[in-house]
Amino acid sequence: MKKRFLFISFLLVAMVLPSVIKSMTYNEVITYNKVLTYNEITTDEEALNFLNSIGNEITLNSADLSNLSNTNYDDFNFFGTVYDVPLALYFNKNNYEYNGFTTIVKSNNLVTLCYYGYNYGTKNCNGVSKDVKINYANYDKTTYDKAASIIKSFKDEYSLNGMAAINSIYHYGALSDNDYGMSADDTLTDTTLLRFSEIKKVIENNDEFNYKIISYGGGGSPYDANNLVAVLLYKDNILYGYKVINLNYQTMIFIDKNSSGTIYEKVEKKLNEYFNNSVAVSIDKNSATSYGYDLSSDINEILGTNEKYKSIGVDITINNVKEYYLIVEVDGKYVDHYNLRSTDKNTGINISTDSFDVPLDTLIKVQDVLGKNYVTQAKNNNNLNLKYAFDINLLGAYNNKYINTTSNDVDVYIPVSNDYEVGKIVDVYYVKNDSSLGETINGVVEKIDNVLYLHFKTNHFSTYAIADYKDTNVSEKTNNNTEDNPQTSDNILIYGIIGTLSLVGLIGTGLYIRKRFN
């Protein structure tokens, strides 16, 4: 699928815009100082002076990564070896960029550090070089083995498209514009990874590690941006592993070919429905592009079909942000509907929503507050017998902003004990911080994957308390929409967020995994 085109795109980008590796801030592992001026090595003389200044040995704040399995992208010469990442971090720590250097491995503890300028087409050391002994930090073998297993679980490529891509653009702009800027005012963020639900699942299931990314460059077509990154795994400030992967970001919109209206009317209707007609959407019909080659193979690979597809490229502006989209007409069953799911690992409480104002990287944050004073006071003042009480909040990981209310209802699922019966309705109380009660919501007991949940809907996030099943006025389930959602806003409890991204899981539609390179 466009293999030759993408290969050339990546190669040209790498040759014309050499990869710039910047360090990143995470628990003070490596600090990216925006005021710092890096010394860019551009001549053999400068390279020789630098090599002489570092001596014959380098101690890396890293485990021995020489036994890591190779990624498919190692076939591209300009991606370097397993030593490139820790050495790049070493260079940055010493106030140098890593451009123009590569390593030729002689043994686990000896490499030739070679400066070859900006000739990205070769790994041959025709320039200044020096043999350097590599020493590693003292690291835990068990932790290293765990990191190696996580690395193997990462795929070579992840894609984000459909309505998930629309959601991401609406909140953060294009992936390539937002997270891969390499100027002094930009810092790469690990929250980029949280847009890709399968990567996010790996990270959140292994939250003892800190995860960071370093960009290698990118390429692609107008609707298909590719960004090559190294995902780094840290623990206790030691690098335990990394994997080079391709993050593929496709601005595609799938519409029902059998629905009425022109292709433009169909797209406009779908976007307006998604945004509840509250976001400005406009289509520049004059920008429409019909491709000279058939894109059906690309689309078939995404959808897992074998059909002939009609598509057209067009500029669409969403809230004053213009982006190039590929509109594809498909059978209605293939029209994707964005849905986000996030789970608190400690309590098992999870949320599900297709609300446009909940971004891809949203994390559910839960605190058990049954014993808190304001809940106890509310319980006593209203003569309630409560079984559970949780402060439930949604957090956007990228900007660390809480989402207090949503335009659409969010489904909340709280695990409950076997005392509760499937199909019964149970009272859920909205408890304010001043111990007063808001509206009472009717939750329905459901069994999902052999786990009992109390399911209710809300568009407001704060403290919710669940009545004890034995004492609540329960009744048979009559419909799926019995709740009366509170609309007022109160002061939510804000907890410390900075640190390891954990306690959550997110499963979103619109994620497709494709391998372009063999």
Side-chain angles (χ1 to χ4, degrees):
M1 180 186 63
K2 306 195 298 299
K3 183 174 180 180
R4 181 183 300 275
F5 172 75
L6 287 175
F7 175 82
I8 294 173
S9 297
F10 276 106
L11 190 57
L12 287 175
V13 170
M15 292 177 68
V16 176
L17 298 174
S19 71
V20 179
I21 300 179
K22 298 287 189 186
S23 54
M24 300 180 298
T25 304
Y26 203 102
N27 289 353
E28 297 182 354
V29 175
I30 296 293
T31 299
Y32 178 81
N33 189 337
K34 294 183 179 179
V35 183
L36 190 64
T37 301
Y38 282 92
N39 295 307
E40 187 173 4
I41 298 173
T42 58
T43 67
D44 286 356
E45 182 179 2
E46 291 172 350
L48 182 60
N49 290 337
F50 176 75
L51 290 176
N52 289 334
S53 72
I54 64 175
N56 298 319
E57 294 186 9
I58 291 179
T59 299
L60 300 177
N61 198 29
S62 169
D64 183 352
L65 304 180
S66 59
N67 293 321
L68 284 180
S69 58
N70 290 332
T71 172
N72 285 349
Y73 296 119
D74 283 342
D75 294 337
F76 294 93
N77 289 333
F78 49 85
F79 291 154
T81 69
V82 293
Y83 288 98
D84 281 359
V85 170
L87 282 171
L89 296 179
Y90 179 90
F91 271 49
N92 279 298
K93 188 177 180 181
N94 287 277
N95 204 17
Y96 277 89
E97 290 186 358
Y98 193 56
N99 281 346
F101 281 90
T102 189
T103 49
I104 299 174
V105 179
K106 292 190 172 181
S107 70
N108 286 6
N109 298 96
L110 186 66
V111 300
T112 297
L113 189 57
C114 172
Y115 176 76
Y116 59 98
Y118 292 102
N119 182 10
Y120 278 85
T122 179
K123 289 282 283 186
N124 297 324
C125 191
N126 298 321
V128 175
S129 65
K130 181 177 183 177
D131 286 349
V132 178
K133 181 181 178 183
I134 301 295
N135 298 315
Y136 301 97
N138 293 324
Y139 58 90
D140 178 66
K141 180 64 166 58
T142 301
T143 303
Y144 172 82
D145 291 340
K146 178 70 180 293
S149 123
I150 296 172
I151 291 299
K152 290 179 181 178
S153 72
F154 282 122
K155 296 179 172 64
D156 291 322
E157 181 170 348
Y158 295 87
S159 291
L160 183 68
N161 54 29
M163 296 310 294
I166 301 297
N167 177 280
S168 185
I169 289 172
Y170 171 73
H171 288 285
Y172 302 128
L175 186 69
S176 55
D177 294 338
N178 183 253
D179 281 310
Y180 292 90
M182 304 305 291
S183 69
D185 292 330
D186 293 321
T187 303
L188 300 181
T189 63
D190 53 346
T191 50
T192 301
L193 302 174
L194 302 184
R195 302 189 191 189
F196 297 84
S197 62
E198 282 216 356
I199 302 178
K200 192 171 188 294
K201 285 166 59 180
V202 173
I203 291 175
E204 292 166 349
N205 288 332
N206 301 281
D207 55 16
E208 69 268 37
F209 290 94
N210 296 332
Y211 296 78
K212 272 297 168 184
I213 57 173
I214 289 181
S215 177
Y216 279 103
S221 68
Y223 65 89
D224 193 3
N226 298 272
N227 296 274
L228 282 155
V229 301
V231 180
L232 284 66
L233 278 68
Y234 281 99
K235 186 174 182 180
D236 300 326
N237 291 347
I238 295 175
L239 177 64
Y240 274 96
Y242 85 103
K243 173 71 178 284
V244 176
I245 62 176
N246 179 30
L247 301 181
N248 181 250
Y249 185 77
Q250 297 169 323
T251 50
M252 287 187 179
I253 304 178
F254 300 108
I255 59 174
D256 188 351
K257 66 181 180 182
N258 296 316
S259 59
S260 61
T262 67
I263 192 169
Y264 304 108
E265 290 170 340
K266 293 177 185 179
V267 171
E268 194 170 51
K269 180 181 178 182
K270 180 172 184 178
L271 292 177
N272 283 329
E273 286 178 348
Y274 175 66
F275 290 116
N276 292 338
N277 292 303
S278 60
V279 173
V281 175
S282 64
I283 301 173
D284 181 4
K285 298 179 183 178
N286 294 326
S287 66
T289 302
S290 296
Y291 290 90
Y293 54 94
D294 188 12
L295 299 178
S296 293
S297 60
D298 301 29
I299 301 162
N300 279 316
E301 190 170 359
I302 293 171
L303 299 180
T305 56
N306 186 23
E307 304 287 341
K308 189 82 170 177
Y309 289 103
K310 177 183 176 182
S311 61
I312 189 170
V314 67
D315 288 335
I316 300 179
T317 301
I318 298 175
N319 262 13
N320 298 319
V321 177
K322 182 184 290 186
E323 191 74 44
Y324 186 87
Y325 294 87
L326 184 68
I327 305 169
V328 185
E329 291 188 309
V330 299
D331 287 333
K333 62 183 177 181
Y334 297 119
V335 175
D336 67 312
H337 299 280
Y338 168 72
N339 182 269
L340 176 146
R341 201 168 188 91
S342 181
T343 302
D344 176 75
K345 193 168 66 175
N346 281 359
T347 63
I349 295 174
N350 63 85
I351 59 98
S352 176
T353 181
D354 59 4
S355 179
F356 72 89
D357 47 16
V358 179
L360 285 171
D361 62 346
T362 295
L363 316 174
I364 182 174
K365 293 290 180 180
V366 177
Q367 185 180 41
D368 189 335
V369 293
L370 185 60
K372 296 291 184 179
N373 290 335
Y374 75 101
V375 175
T376 300
Q377 187 174 340
K379 175 182 174 180
N380 294 336
N381 291 346
N382 296 278
N383 195 27
L384 300 176
N385 192 0
L386 302 179
K387 183 71 175 286
Y388 306 97
F390 298 100
D391 194 59
I392 303 173
N393 291 292
L394 302 183
L395 175 75
Y398 181 81
N399 55 18
N400 276 338
K401 289 185 178 179
Y402 280 93
I403 302 166
N404 296 336
T405 59
T406 58
S407 300
N408 300 343
D409 284 339
V410 175
D411 291 278
V412 180
Y413 298 84
I414 299 179
V416 294
S417 67
N418 291 331
D419 295 338
Y420 295 80
E421 296 181 20
V422 174
K424 297 293 185 177
I425 295 175
V426 180
D427 292 332
V428 180
Y429 304 100
Y430 161 45
V431 182
K432 298 184 178 181
N433 287 346
D434 62 1
S435 299
S436 63
L437 295 182
E439 301 294 330
T440 299
I441 302 174
N442 292 328
V444 179
V445 180
E446 300 178 3
K447 193 171 188 177
I448 304 173
D449 295 331
N450 293 320
V451 178
L452 285 179
Y453 291 93
L454 186 63
H455 171 206
F456 64 93
K457 295 176 182 288
T458 184
N459 67 350
H460 174 85
F461 289 89
S462 189
T463 295
Y464 287 97
I466 300 174
D468 190 303
Y469 180 75
K470 296 177 182 178
D471 297 310
T472 189
N473 182 21
V474 299
S475 59
E476 293 291 344
K477 174 181 175 183
T478 56
N479 59 62
N480 293 324
N481 258 336
T482 58
E483 64 286 332
D484 185 5
N485 295 314
Q487 301 295 330
T488 58
S489 175
D490 67 331
N491 295 324
I492 63 174
L493 298 178
I494 297 180
Y495 320 114
I497 303 302
I498 302 173
T500 305
L501 295 174
S502 61
L503 308 181
V504 286
L506 175 139
I507 304 173
T509 60
L511 176 83
Y512 303 92
I513 301 166
R514 302 187 296 129
K515 293 185 67 176
R516 297 188 172 182
F517 305 99
N518 299 318

